Amino acid sequence: MPKYRSFLRRTALVGAVAVLAVTAAATAGASQSRKSGTTISGAGSTFVQPLVFQWVNPIGAAYGYELQYSGIGSGGGIAAVTARTVDFGASDAPLTADQFNACNGCVQIPWALSATAIIYNLPGVKNLIKMDGPTLAKIFMGQITTWNDPAIQKLNKGVSLPSTKIAIIHRSDNSGTTYNLTDYLSSVSPAWQSALGKGVAVNWPAGSGQRGSAGVAAAVQQTEGGIGYADVAYSLKNHLKIFAMKNRSGKYATPGLKGILAAATSDQKPAATTNELSIVNPPKKYPLAYPISTYTYVIVPTKSAKAPDLRRFLFWAVTKGQTYGPKLLFQPIPKPVLVVAEKTIKKIQS
């Protein structure tokens, strides 16, 4: 518990900071835009939204830009930038080949790094009970239906688990967080891989859906026996309990900065043509790794009337902007990934 209390204190201001950032955007952004006349608009990932909101005021102070961002889900962000209704999209799921083609000249840039927490609501049960991938897959497949199921109890000897029914809460919108979770479940459960696979949306066999990370977190908070998934910032904002997840080295890891960094260390070479990285379920030589970690991407057209402003904003985001991440449990992207990101940003031209 002391470890988690420290973990919680570091991010207890997530909600307040996000709200203040949104409020300040209207004032600071508007005043700065009178100087530059430039608005940079984006949409997509709710996962990265708390971090982007942190950037509103400093990017306005640095360059006079008005930064606008709407967290509508990764699928919505991809659709918006493809339609050119925004200057950039944001997605935790890498673009498919078809999405790249549809985007008609877009680049995908890793610009943030964090983790998906598995959250639960069990009054009277401690935080950080243990969970492994195969058991979690059976829960989300509806095969384990009560909290005192022998499979969960076996992982938590000495913990008194109730007979409460498990209430599964998942995303209803196309979501990069869903992609991160289902990518992980596909890697640890052949049954999940065969029946459901990975994607921004899957045919959930059980549970109820909510829009956005905030919607899932709020629903779990309100549902005794609830289980769901959301990026760790939303989990802590709602003071939800999270699982310690068993990684491939047999250790139970948490989605803190050390666990995220250890996972990121497992893949620091973005794919040559897409810049995609996968850091779920890292090899056992990374004993600290939290196994449901992920990069998240910004998607930008290579041809834009705002190219100089977009390049300036994105260079700032992957350098100075990373310093705003740790208090929200976004780990700064590793240097090899940063180098690739900077090279890709240079491809954005008028």
Side-chain angles (χ1 to χ4, degrees):
M1 285 301 289
K3 179 180 178 182
Y4 181 67
R5 289 193 188 100
S6 175
F7 182 53
L8 181 59
R9 281 195 298 270
R10 290 199 306 271
T11 54
L13 296 178
V14 168
V17 167
V19 171
L20 287 172
V22 176
T23 304
T27 302
S31 64
Q32 295 293 348
S33 66
R34 284 195 294 269
K35 296 179 182 179
S36 72
T38 299
T39 297
I40 296 176
S41 64
S45 164
T46 61
F47 188 103
V48 80
Q49 181 172 285
L51 180 59
V52 176
F53 282 172
Q54 284 288 289
W55 293 342
V56 170
N57 284 345
I59 198 68
Y63 300 114
Y65 298 152
E66 181 179 355
L67 176 60
Q68 299 177 349
Y69 184 80
S70 178
I72 58 174
S74 294
I78 293 169
V81 72
T82 298
R84 302 300 194 264
T85 58
V86 293
D87 299 314
F88 68 89
S91 175
D92 318 313
L95 293 175
T96 65
D98 287 344
Q99 287 171 332
F100 262 116
N101 288 335
C103 206
N104 191 26
C106 289
V107 288
Q108 174 174 265
I109 305 164
W111 73 335
L113 171 62
S114 193
T116 298
I118 309 301
I119 53 183
Y120 62 95
N121 181 352
L122 281 178
V125 175
K126 68 178 183 176
N127 183 52
L128 296 178
I129 61 173
K130 297 175 179 178
M131 180 57 63
D132 64 15
T135 304
L136 187 65
K138 289 179 180 179
I139 291 173
F140 280 116
M141 292 177 78
Q143 297 172 355
I144 293 176
T145 59
T146 61
W147 281 102
N148 64 348
D149 187 276
I152 305 174
Q153 194 69 70
K154 184 179 179 181
L155 297 171
N156 294 280
K157 295 178 181 179
V159 177
S160 179
L161 295 170
S163 60
T164 307
K165 291 287 186 181
I166 295 174
I168 299 166
I169 299 163
H170 54 75
R171 289 284 288 272
S172 60
D173 51 329
N174 287 350
S175 159
T177 314
T178 297
Y179 181 91
N180 184 212
L181 173 65
T182 58
D183 189 18
Y184 167 71
L185 293 177
S186 294
S187 74
V188 296
S189 169
W192 180 280
Q193 169 63 27
S194 176
L196 295 160
K198 64 182 179 181
V200 295
V202 295
N203 186 23
W204 295 97
S208 60
Q210 295 288 333
R211 289 191 64 82
S213 292
V216 171
V220 172
Q221 185 182 44
Q222 297 163 13
T223 306
E224 185 170 340
I227 185 173
Y229 58 97
D231 79 272
V232 66
Y234 287 93
S235 308
L236 295 176
K237 171 189 172 183
N238 287 274
H239 307 290
L240 289 163
K241 296 169 183 175
I242 62 176
F243 283 107
M245 294 299 304
K246 188 176 183 179
N247 61 26
R248 285 172 71 177
S249 71
K251 307 294 184 181
Y252 288 92
T254 58
L257 292 173
K258 289 182 180 179
I260 296 165
L261 178 60
T265 303
S266 70
D267 185 2
Q268 298 188 58
K269 295 181 178 180
T273 58
T274 66
N275 286 342
E276 180 179 347
L277 299 122
S278 178
I279 56 174
V280 298
N281 199 27
K284 62 182 180 180
K285 67 179 180 178
Y286 302 99
L288 296 179
Y290 179 74
I292 323 178
S293 297
T294 185
Y295 284 91
T296 184
Y297 305 90
V298 60
I299 302 155
V300 193
T302 54
K303 299 295 183 182
S304 171
K306 297 181 183 177
D309 298 308
L310 280 170
R311 289 197 304 269
R312 190 175 292 118
F313 161 59
L314 292 172
F315 273 119
W316 184 93
V318 298
T319 53
K320 177 66 174 178
Q322 298 295 300
T323 64
Y324 294 85
K327 63 183 175 183
L328 303 178
L329 294 185
F330 283 88
Q331 176 68 247
I333 59 176
K335 187 174 181 179
V337 178
L338 171 61
V339 169
V340 172
E342 290 180 331
K343 288 181 179 178
T344 308
I345 291 168
K346 292 177 181 178
K347 296 179 180 180
I348 303 167
Q349 299 293 325
S350 299

